[in-house]
Amino acid sequence: MSTHTLPTPDADRTSRLREALQSAAFTSDGLLDLLGAPAYAALARSETVPALRATRGDSALETLVRLFLLQATVPYERARASLPVEDCVADGWLVQHGDEVRASVDVRPYSGPEGQDWWIVSDLGCAVGGAAGIGAGTSEVTGVTGVDRSQLVLGVGGASTTLAGITVRAPVARALDLGTGSGVQALHAAQHATRVTATDVNPRALGFARLTLALSAAPAADLREGSLYDPVAGDEGFDLIVSNPPFVISPGPRLKYRDGGMGGDDLCRALVQRSADHLADGGYLQLLANWQHIEGEDWRERLASWVPGGCDAWIVQREVQDAAQYAELWLRDAGDHRGDPAEYAARYDAWLEEFEARKARAVGFGWITLRKSGAEHPSVIAEEWPHPVEQPLGPSVRGHFERQDFLRGTDDAALLAARFRLAGEVVQEQVGLPGAEDPEHVVLRQNRGMRRATRVDTVGAGFAGVCDGTLTAGRILDAIAQLVGEDPVLLRDRTPESIRLLVEQGFLDPAGDPAGDPEPDAAREV
């Protein structure tokens, strides 16, 4: 167990600390202005030398950076000029040693989606970069004694921001942050949920989440200790469940923030399979996950089999690593590459042995979103999309499921009677030989959201270009048939499948059913 005591903040003193941080511009924007983009980016990679060079002055902001981000000791009187230092020592944010003070926790500025100034509290050296950022026992960097490495709590990393960006941000009554860690997702959920419950198997994580919420002036969450859905057994369904779980597929549990203690990808499978019992009707489950690529199995079919009945699902694989790459990634995360070579080799071998026993040849990284639709024939889509996307992606995720509702409830006749709008910032590209009369093919490309590209024929391109919500799909096709000299009945028969694909991928959005119907002659203006 850890002997490291977390701060126990008083509400009034925490408010004074927050005001001091804001007054000194100890914010994301303030750090960027002080450090400059290269040093700021290096700090996000746990590289501190550029930031140390940029904070050799004695301003309040430089003092706070050295205290909370660089884990340096600071003269007591210098800290007094920047902070309510007596309050910070009394509550445990700072530890005094003679005429100097040091931070007991990492406090890292973090910007909210609407420009809010927030602060994420985590273990020293663990704001990003995994357990490699802190040593066992007494750290020469932090001076923290007795922290059990298996209990470490990380701050904000790329996984945290990815999940925050893809989460659907609609006002909800009840939200659950399952595996809260330092409380990043609970902090986001508190902005649009009436009640937030946050759980973690690590009691230290609950303590850090409490600090993050308090320092960021967010409503307190209902914090519960336990694994998976056990802490909320018997609760009414949640409108939103988010989870950045300990998804690493490892040969054994070493670090609670990443190793779930279940074999293979069983933890992520359990989160998905059991979610329907804890979701309200229409509720979303959104999580980051790793999954095995098993020899002889299609990963898409394997993950689709996890989805409980009555739930739509959208599974996106963002990256794939072979077994060796994957083992090396997480061995470095734990700092094993800096230790004894023989021990490193033994651990590396254990990872590969585990993968071989499970016939896992690679591991996929990505996100899984479920919505409890209650549909008799749910939409379950698993796809690979390694290309850049536009964050925040939450609106696009919500739009995906809304379009699935539309397509499921719309037969071909209704589809042709519907109106559509071309999604924003879709461009058309024509590919062909220079000087050729007609392009070899036409590509529609999104510059927003998933940033997809899809090949269409000239009819599909013409159809999409005219969709502005005014004419029905059938009227547009009739006009195109007249222009190209094609039988309109045959064109109507063969086009719905193409329209469905454009809607599913987000190139076209249903435009509702405006009152009245354009005059037949209007179609001739296409």
Side-chain angles (χ1 to χ4, degrees), residues 110-118 164-165 167 169 184 187-189 191-192 392:
Y110 179 67
S111 291
E114 297 178 0
Q116 303 99 320
D117 290 325
W118 292 338
T167 299
R169 300 295 176 193
V184 179
L187 180 56
H188 278 279
Q191 312 307 307
H192 63 99

Side-chain angles (χ1 to χ4, degrees), residues 212-289:
T212 291
L213 294 169
L215 189 56
S216 300
D222 178 7
L223 301 174
R224 305 185 192 180
E225 182 181 348
S227 177
L228 298 176
Y229 296 105
D230 294 348
V232 295
D235 284 20
E236 62 180 290
F238 292 92
D239 305 294
L240 173 67
I241 301 174
V242 292
S243 184
N244 179 13
F247 51 64
V248 175
I249 300 169
S250 63
R254 290 179 61 199
L255 301 167
K256 283 193 174 181
Y257 72 81
R258 69 171 208 189
D259 302 319
M262 300 175 71
D265 50 22
D266 286 354
L267 184 138
C268 291
R269 177 178 54 81
L271 280 173
V272 173
Q273 288 182 332
R274 294 172 55 187
S275 62
D277 295 334
H278 301 279
L279 285 171
D281 291 342
Y284 287 89
L285 164 72
Q286 298 192 258
L287 72 149
L288 303 184

Side-chain angles (χ1 to χ4, degrees), residues 84-118:
V85 70
E86 293 85 358
D87 290 351
C88 292
V89 171
D91 282 354
W93 297 99
L94 299 179
V95 178
Q96 184 175 358
H97 293 284
D99 295 332
E100 294 183 321
V101 292
R102 60 168 176 79
S104 67
V105 291
D106 188 299
V107 177
R108 187 154 303 229
Y110 179 67
S111 291
E114 297 178 0
Q116 303 99 320
D117 290 325
W118 292 338

Side-chain angles (χ1 to χ4, degrees), residues 156-336:
V156 178
S160 303
T161 55
T162 294
L163 179 58
I166 68 172
T167 299
V168 175
R169 300 295 176 193
V172 296
R174 292 167 50 79
L176 169 63
D177 177 12
L178 195 156
T180 188
S182 56
V184 179
Q185 309 307 325
L187 180 56
H188 278 279
Q191 312 307 307
H192 63 99
T194 303
R195 180 180 178 183
V196 177
T197 301
T199 69
D200 206 289
V201 71
N202 184 356
R204 295 188 75 248
L206 299 177
F208 277 113
R210 182 180 292 108
L211 293 172
T212 291
L213 294 169
L215 189 56
S216 300
D222 178 7
L223 301 174
R224 305 185 192 180
E225 182 181 348
S227 177
L228 298 176
Y229 296 105
D230 294 348
V232 295
D235 284 20
E236 62 180 290
F238 292 92
D239 305 294
L240 173 67
I241 301 174
V242 292
S243 184
N244 179 13
F247 51 64
V248 175
I249 300 169
S250 63
R254 290 179 61 199
L255 301 167
K256 283 193 174 181
Y257 72 81
R258 69 171 208 189
D259 302 319
M262 300 175 71
D265 50 22
D266 286 354
L267 184 138
C268 291
R269 177 178 54 81
L271 280 173
V272 173
Q273 288 182 332
R274 294 172 55 187
S275 62
D277 295 334
H278 301 279
L279 285 171
D281 291 342
Y284 287 89
L285 164 72
Q286 298 192 258
L287 72 149
L288 303 184
N290 283 185
W291 45 80
Q292 299 169 125
H293 283 221
I294 302 296
E295 184 178 352
E297 297 184 25
D298 186 317
W299 72 268
R300 297 170 181 83
E301 295 178 1
R302 185 167 177 270
L303 266 67
S305 72
W306 295 359
V307 178
C311 290
D312 296 328
W314 186 20
I315 302 164
V316 181
Q317 181 168 274
R318 299 286 289 155
E319 183 182 357
V320 180
Q321 289 188 343
D322 63 43
Q325 288 177 305
Y326 190 79
E328 291 164 13
L329 170 66
W330 295 110
L331 288 167
R332 288 194 301 271
D333 171 83
D336 292 329

